[in-house]
Amino acid sequence: MDSKREKDQDADHEKITAVLLKSRTGEFDLESILFLKLRNLGIHDLGCTGECINLERLDLSGNNITNLAPLASLRLLSVLNLSNNRVSSLEPLRTCDVLQNLNVAGNIISSIENLHCLVSLRKLENIRLKDNTYNYTNPVCRNSSYRAVVLEMFPNIKVLDGERVVGRGSDLYQLCKDIDDTIKDVLHECRLLNNRATHVISQTERSMSLKKQPKQYAI
C-alpha cells in the first residue's frame, strides 16, 4: 500500500501542479511565490510554472525537462538553474528580460546558434554551460572556439562556466577601455592645442620678421 502511494506521488511529480507548488512553498497563491526549488524530482513537464509570474529564483536541476515554454512568462526571473536536464532549446528564455544568472550545464544544447536567443538579455552576466565539478557539459562545449564566441556574443558577461572572465566584458577590461578612451581624448585635445600654438607662433614670427625688414621709400 505504501509503495503504491509513493509511486502515485512520484507520478504526480512528473508534472508541476499547483498542489505541488503550494505544498513546497506554503503559499496559497502562485503569484506570491518568489523563490522555488524543485530539484531531483523526476519532473519532465513544467505544467503551471508559468503562473508564478513574480518568481525571481528558480532551481529545476536534476530533472528530465525538455520544454521550457512555460518559463516565457517569468519576466522577473533573475536566477535560473536548469543543470542536469534534457534541454536542447533555450528559445523561451528570450523574454526573461532581467535574467542575470543561467545554469544549463549538463543538457543537450548542440550549437552556438542555440544561444543566439539570449543575446537580447542585457543583464545576463553569469552563464554556465559546463561544470567540471559534476562532469556536466553540453555538445556545444566541444567546439574549439566555443569560449571565444560566447564571450563575443555576450559582451556584458562576467562569469563563464564558473570562471571570472578576463578580457572582453570583464570589469578590468571595461576599466582599461575607459582609461584608454580618456587618454585618446586627451591626446586629441593636445594635438589640437599644439596645432593652434604652432600656427600662432608662425604668425607671430612672420609678423616680427616683416617689422624687422628695412623700410623702402619710393624715389
Side-chain angles (χ1 to χ4, degrees):
M1 186 71 176
D2 290 339
S3 61
K4 184 179 185 302
R5 186 182 297 112
E6 290 175 0
K7 186 175 181 180
D8 290 340
Q9 290 176 345
D10 288 341
D12 289 340
H13 287 167
E14 290 179 3
K15 180 177 181 178
I16 294 179
T17 63
V19 173
L20 173 62
L21 295 178
K22 291 176 181 180
S23 66
R24 285 271 171 171
T25 63
E27 299 286 352
F28 291 102
D29 298 316
L30 298 187
E31 294 183 5
S32 299
I33 301 175
L34 302 180
F35 311 106
L36 186 58
K37 182 182 288 188
L38 299 171
R39 305 178 63 178
N40 303 314
L41 295 178
I43 296 168
H44 66 78
D45 189 335
L46 292 175
C48 61
T49 306
E51 296 179 32
C52 306
I53 57 175
N54 292 308
L55 198 60
E56 297 176 3
R57 303 171 69 92
L58 176 60
D59 186 348
L60 292 166
S61 57
N63 288 293
N64 297 308
I65 298 165
T66 58
N67 185 5
L68 302 182
L71 303 186
S73 60
L74 304 183
R75 307 300 291 270
L76 300 180
L77 193 65
S78 63
V79 179
L80 176 60
N81 187 349
L82 286 164
S83 62
N84 194 24
N85 276 278
R86 295 188 292 129
V87 176
S88 60
S89 173
L90 300 173
E91 186 69 26
L93 301 184
R94 69 163 62 244
T95 56
C96 299
D97 299 324
V98 299
L99 190 63
Q100 296 179 359
N101 190 319
L102 175 63
N103 186 348
V104 287
N107 281 276
I108 50 177
I109 299 168
S110 60
S111 67
I112 295 294
E113 284 69 27
N114 295 131
L115 302 177
H116 280 299
C117 58
L118 305 178
V119 171
S120 62
L121 304 182
R122 299 303 179 188
K123 294 190 176 182
L124 189 59
E125 58 183 31
N126 189 331
I127 304 175
R128 186 185 283 275
L129 286 154
K130 63 179 178 179
D131 189 334
N132 294 330
T133 302
Y134 299 101
N135 198 29
Y136 293 161
T137 187
N138 279 276
V140 65
C141 300
R142 300 177 193 146
N143 188 320
S144 58
S145 60
Y146 147 75
R147 184 176 176 83
V149 174
V150 171
L151 293 180
E152 186 67 27
M153 285 176 62
F154 301 97
N156 297 323
I157 193 172
K158 294 181 179 179
V159 181
L160 176 60
D161 297 334
E163 297 181 5
R164 189 96 179 152
V165 172
V166 177
R168 184 178 180 83
S170 70
D171 293 338
L172 179 60
Y173 173 88
Q174 191 59 47
L175 177 61
C176 292
K177 184 177 182 300
D178 291 342
I179 293 174
D180 185 53
D181 289 343
T182 301
I183 291 174
K184 287 179 180 178
D185 290 339
V186 171
L187 288 175
H188 179 66
E189 289 296 326
C190 287
R191 278 194 291 269
L192 290 177
L193 290 172
N194 182 64
N195 290 339
R196 289 172 188 167
T198 301
H199 178 69
V200 170
I201 292 172
S202 177
Q203 292 282 25
T204 302
E205 289 178 342
R206 182 180 301 172
S207 177
M208 291 178 67
S209 176
L210 290 173
K211 287 181 179 180
K212 288 180 180 179
Q213 290 180 4
K215 295 182 179 179
Q216 296 181 359
Y217 298 95
I219 299 176

